[in-house]
Amino acid sequence: MTAVSVTVAVALWTAVVLRAPGAKKNHRRRMLWFTLLSLALVATFDLPFVLDGIGSLTPAAHNVGHLLKYLAAVMAAAGAHEIVRGGYLPPGRAEVGFGARVAITGGVLAVLVALFVVAPIHTEQVDSLTAAYAGLPTIRAFLVLFLAALSTLLVGVVRHTAWYRRQLPPGPLRTSMTMILAAAVAGLLFALLKVLVVASTPMIPRGAAALTVSPVSTGLLATSLLLFAVGTAWHALQNLTPGRYLIALHRDRQLRRLWRDLRDVVPTISLEDALARRSDTDGHEAGHRRMPVGRHEVELRYWRRVMEILDGELTLRPYVVPSLRGAAEEAARRRGVAAVDVAPVAERAVLEVARRRRTRGEAPVPGRAAPRTPPLSSFDVEARRLHAMAAHRADALDLADHLDHDTSATIAS
């Protein structure tokens, strides 16, 4: 577990360094940097060799490292609460009452320090403050105040983050919020275990905790710290060259089969094939696309792939039977397709029927070319729609086999 804890601490300190230049831009970024710094301190003071080192440096006041870890945890939870307020509340309202919240948090920290100072626990260094001194009245009061403050802040983080996540479309920001939500839940489980330990310990002058859950508690703390670190850095990680390259390459591969299906019947949608035919200087046969090298090239290729598929859809519009969309959705439901997948399966099946009609040389639907559903919107929305269609190719082709038999009768009627 020490190796995992060290890795988490290194990851958090790396995030602190990388986020430092942007901390001056606005309140939310300052709070993000402050939260990452606090979490890095928690992860550092949770390392056994760091606690022993601090104890050897302060022989007159052992266990100071434990105090610093608890203080940093409260500050991290307060910082995380400020971050999610920025997404939960309208612009300008997130900072309202910030001074009062800082004062309350500062008061809690001051009381924690006072309880720690007066507690008779400074004669020897221990591995766990909770396990060794939970029976002392002052440390029990210390832990109760700490857990109450931590739980209150984390409940606010969970509530605000869950609401904010529901408002976001699928994408990097929603993924980031999901990780932060999971980190807060892990933090609450950590607090719950601490409550169980304190509640199971009798109130005696000096006694070890009756319930020992140190490995589980350490694991939950490391999980919470790691999830928060990755969640806050998720968008930035995707903007790094290797990450963006791999993401764009993966997305391009997902759409390749759908693109080929359309290009086979509408060759003019391929801009690269058209350029290759115009200037045959690279020695590749028409239609062959070499492996992209640079990040910008693979991103451009993915962008072009989406646009070419949209162009192919528009070209096949005259071959789409208007009434077939409703029939396709009904048939998909009867076949047990999940409700969330009915629309992309039906749309892909209808497009496949139109593609087959053009391949067979059939005439367009006279005066009944259906408008594409849904209408064109942003690139990201269209790309997500195409990915949903591509992901259900097998179900859609099976449905298209069934629908294709009824197409001629539908047109005749």
Side-chain angles (χ1 to χ4, degrees), residues 48-328:
F49 58 87
V50 173
L51 289 174
D52 293 338
I54 295 175
S56 64
L57 292 175
T58 57
H62 288 291
N63 303 313
V64 172
H66 292 294
L67 171 65
L68 297 176
K69 180 177 71 172
Y70 284 115
L71 297 180
V74 173
M75 292 189 295
H81 187 264
E82 289 296 321
I83 293 172
V84 297
R85 275 176 61 89
Y88 176 74
L89 296 175
R93 287 191 56 191
E95 298 182 36
V96 175
F98 176 69
R101 291 191 297 275
V102 170
I104 293 173
T105 304
V108 171
L109 296 179
V111 174
L112 289 175
V113 171
L115 290 171
F116 179 84
V117 170
V118 300
I121 60 170
H122 309 298
T123 57
E124 61 177 314
Q125 182 71 25
V126 296
D127 294 332
S128 172
L129 201 65
T130 306
Y133 296 115
L136 290 175
T138 49
I139 293 302
R140 183 182 290 267
F142 175 93
L143 292 172
V144 168
L145 178 59
F146 164 73
L147 293 172
L150 183 68
S151 300
T152 300
L153 290 168
L154 288 179
V155 166
V157 172
V158 169
R159 183 166 60 90
H160 295 334
T161 306
W163 181 90
Y164 188 30
R165 181 185 175 277
R166 288 195 297 269
Q167 315 308 312
L168 296 171
L173 184 55
R174 185 173 181 178
T175 302
S176 177
M177 288 297 105
T178 301
M179 292 185 181
I180 293 175
L181 177 61
V185 171
L188 282 174
L189 292 176
F190 166 81
L192 176 61
L193 281 180
K194 288 285 186 181
V195 170
L196 293 176
V197 171
V198 173
S200 67
T201 304
M203 185 77 74
I204 54 179
R206 187 197 187 286
L211 180 63
T212 302
V213 289
S214 181
V216 178
S217 177
T218 302
L220 284 172
L221 180 61
T223 300
S224 179
L225 296 174
L226 183 61
L227 283 172
F228 193 90
V230 176
T232 54
W234 185 254
H235 190 268
L237 289 173
Q238 292 198 93
N239 286 331
L240 295 177
T241 296
R244 292 182 63 174
Y245 178 90
L246 293 175
I247 290 171
L249 188 63
H250 175 65
R251 290 174 177 172
D252 179 72
R253 289 179 182 274
Q254 287 180 319
L255 295 182
R256 183 177 301 174
R257 191 63 179 270
L258 175 59
W259 175 83
R260 284 178 176 172
D261 288 343
L262 295 177
R263 189 206 58 178
D264 289 344
V265 68
V266 190
T268 55
I269 66 172
S270 175
L271 177 61
E272 189 165 311
D273 287 353
L275 293 176
R277 288 191 296 269
R278 179 178 299 179
S279 179
D280 188 17
T281 59
D282 58 0
H284 297 298
E285 59 176 322
H288 177 74
R289 294 191 167 194
R290 64 182 179 84
M291 183 72 172
V293 178
R295 171 176 63 84
H296 295 292
E297 183 179 356
V298 73
E299 288 180 338
L300 176 62
R301 172 173 164 173
Y302 172 67
W303 178 87
R304 188 165 56 198
R305 182 88 73 186
V306 172
M307 300 309 295
E308 289 174 356
I309 292 175
L310 295 176
D311 190 25
E313 284 187 311
L314 293 175
T315 303
L316 292 177
R317 279 177 60 180
Y319 297 88
V320 173
V321 180
S323 60
L324 205 58
R325 176 61 183 267

